[in-house]
Amino acid sequence: MVLARRQSPDGTEIWLNWAVWSLVEKCYVGYVQATITIYNSAMLGYVFFPNFWGKGYALEAVKCMINYLVKTYQNLDFRADVDVENHRSITLLHNLGFVRATFIQNIESNQDEFNHEVQYRCA
């Protein structure tokens, strides 16, 4: 994985992004992200390209990211917001020990539609 690190203009967040390269596939398969806040919260995000779904790349990469964050930062509260219809992502989070915390109704999407999300947490 390749790391890029930046800070928000107001200094309240650290933005970490990793591009995920597969040695087997010999190409990028997706990316993972974390936003660390001044409140010791780590908002996680990840995107993997559809032709690499179900091959374990997301689980391995998110696990590596969490391990890095645990070693680098102290006492983080891990969070991830997921669309209620994204069953693959929900399964991934459950496999990593996350639990459902908060239901968020009517989140506006890119298509001017409204979706429902669930926040998952893991300390």
Side-chain angles (χ1 to χ4, degrees):
M1 293 196 315
V2 180
L3 172 65
R5 179 187 168 148
R6 302 196 129 223
Q7 190 167 359
S8 64
D10 65 1
T12 62
E13 296 179 339
I14 298 169
W15 301 328
L16 304 168
N17 297 278
W18 291 263
V20 181
W21 175 268
S22 167
L23 294 174
V24 174
E25 308 283 350
K26 295 183 175 48
C27 64
Y28 288 102
V29 296
Y31 60 88
V32 293
Q33 305 172 308
T35 299
I36 310 299
T37 71
I38 59 173
Y39 305 107
N40 286 343
S41 176
M43 281 301 290
L44 306 183
Y46 40 86
V47 173
F48 286 82
F49 310 131
N51 48 330
F52 302 109
W53 291 354
K55 295 185 177 185
Y57 293 117
L59 180 63
E60 183 179 351
V62 175
K63 212 183 275 190
C64 286
M65 175 177 56
I66 290 171
N67 288 338
Y68 170 85
L69 295 172
V70 167
K71 289 177 187 173
T72 308
Y73 300 92
Q74 300 298 316
N75 303 315
L76 289 176
D77 176 26
F78 292 99
R79 301 171 186 211
D81 293 344
V82 181
D83 186 289
V84 296
E85 299 296 323
N86 190 340
H87 302 292
R88 284 183 178 273
S89 191
I90 291 168
T91 299
L92 171 69
L93 292 170
H94 282 168
N95 288 339
L96 291 167
F98 282 71
V99 295
R100 183 180 173 146
T102 307
F103 178 76
I104 307 163
Q105 193 169 358
N106 295 328
I107 301 298
E108 190 171 352
S109 73
N110 293 339
Q111 294 82 26
D112 294 325
E113 299 172 355
F114 289 94
N115 298 324
H116 305 303
E117 290 186 352
V118 176
Q119 184 172 93
Y120 284 81
R121 297 179 82 171
C122 184

